[in-house]
Amino acid sequence: MKFLFGLLAAGAPVIAASAVVLQQPGANEKPKTPWQSCPIDAVSCQGPAADPCCSPTNGLLVMALQWDSRFGPSDAFTVHGLWPDTCKGKQLPSGGCDSARAYTNVSAIIESGADLELAGDMATYWPSNKGDNNWFWTHEWVKHGTCVSTLHPRCYDPVAYAPQQEVSEYFRKVLDLRAHYDVYRALNASGIVPTQPETGRRPKDTYSLEEFKAAIRAAWGVDPNVKCRGRRMQEVWLWFKVLGRDRYFPVDPWGADTCPRRISYQRKSASASGS
């Protein structure tokens, strides 16, 4: 909760979740819809549950950022996903949380949305390593995006809501988080840079698992989870809770590392997409 205290110091007061209640209308008042009555300072997974439109029901989330030498810009981690978990760290159903919004054409939804730059940004920073972006993005939306309770259509102003706008908003939020929590930059600031692999040999230059974790800790005050395939660094996971509807702040990890003591962080190939 270190960063939550930082928010307090910055002048953004946080009230106890026990105080997060929706006011009951008086005899002559019309009931307020959730988007009208949400407090801005509820904290996910803290105290009694708030209205699911006001604070994510599945309020512990992990952003998985991947380092694949074949994909994405040479100076950026790409996105695997933003995955809501229960407040006890349990995974949600593999089929997602809303079968009525299990769309199969997420790429088309993104391209036709109001965010004109989203499709290009997705292709650059959220590419599929199997070559099928629509399949990948659809999978991430159905399994994970539908489980973000604050993005349910009932949580929007019904006059202003455009059908399926929550799809684009989910992906834009993740891309914004990726840009703000720039893992490549954080590692580089601590002297951890990708190295050139040697053909037919183990990498000459490796880093320790603790060096990776210390670099993230220096940047944001929390530890990540670092995931490897063998000794090759594959993903960095950052964990979050949420202030209000959508202000994410980092917290210490709930998962486990899967790397050995020494990690290979290989430079991306010249043919990597977006390089």
Side-chain angles (χ1 to χ4, degrees):
M1 300 297 287
K2 302 167 192 166
F3 273 68
L4 183 53
F5 297 141
L7 289 169
L8 282 166
V14 176
I15 61 175
S18 58
V20 179
V21 294
L22 299 180
Q23 294 182 348
Q24 296 300 316
N28 297 320
E29 295 180 63
K30 292 182 179 180
K32 290 184 176 181
T33 52
W35 62 271
Q36 292 175 308
S37 52
C38 286
I40 63 173
D41 42 15
V43 180
S44 65
C45 299
Q46 179 174 307
D51 186 290
C53 288
C54 298
S55 182
T57 300
N58 304 301
L60 178 65
L61 303 95
V62 58
M63 179 169 64
L65 300 172
Q66 55 190 0
W67 184 261
D68 189 321
S69 62
R70 302 167 298 167
F71 294 96
S74 60
D75 60 350
F77 281 67
T78 57
V79 178
H80 187 172
L82 178 71
W83 308 329
D85 285 343
T86 72
C87 291
K88 294 184 178 180
K90 301 295 184 183
Q91 293 185 0
L92 299 171
S94 59
C97 299
D98 189 351
S99 59
R101 293 186 297 142
Y103 308 125
T104 59
N105 61 333
V106 166
S107 181
I109 293 172
I110 289 172
E111 290 173 357
S112 62
D115 187 339
L116 301 181
E117 296 181 352
L118 181 57
D121 291 344
M122 290 287 293
T124 299
Y125 295 109
W126 204 325
S128 168
N129 60 14
K130 296 181 180 179
D132 187 343
N133 284 341
N134 181 65
W135 178 90
F136 185 30
W137 301 341
T138 294
H139 169 79
E140 292 300 311
W141 165 254
V142 171
K143 184 175 181 180
H144 304 292
T146 61
C147 295
V148 181
S149 66
T150 52
L151 292 179
H152 193 280
R154 83 173 186 90
C155 302
Y156 291 80
D157 179 347
V159 176
Y161 174 72
Q164 302 175 339
Q165 77 176 70
E166 70 274 15
V167 177
S168 293
E169 289 182 7
Y170 167 74
F171 288 109
R172 173 54 69 191
K173 170 56 71 174
V174 183
L175 290 178
D176 287 348
L177 286 172
R178 187 217 66 82
H180 184 78
Y181 295 97
D182 187 333
V183 169
Y184 182 92
R185 183 177 296 178
L187 295 174
N188 188 70
S190 291
I192 300 176
V193 297
T195 60
Q196 183 65 39
E198 295 186 11
T199 304
R201 292 182 171 184
R202 288 188 173 184
K204 179 179 179 181
D205 298 313
T206 59
Y207 300 96
S208 72
L209 174 59
E210 177 53 31
E211 285 176 309
F212 267 85
K213 296 172 78 71
I216 302 301
R217 194 183 311 126
W220 301 304
V222 297
D223 278 355
N225 287 138
V226 186
K227 306 290 184 176
C228 289
R229 176 172 294 177
R231 70 162 55 194
R232 180 171 59 84
M233 198 275 295
Q234 191 171 28
E235 293 191 339
V236 172
W237 289 13
L238 300 176
W239 294 79
F240 295 89
K241 289 184 179 178
V242 186
L243 178 66
R245 295 187 72 242
D246 60 1
R247 287 177 286 168
Y248 289 71
F249 62 92
V251 297
D252 282 323
W254 284 58
D257 303 312
T258 62
C259 294
R261 289 191 301 174
R262 303 296 301 182
I263 299 173
S264 167
Y265 177 33
Q266 295 184 7
R267 188 179 305 167
K268 290 190 179 184
S269 65
S271 60
S273 60
S275 295

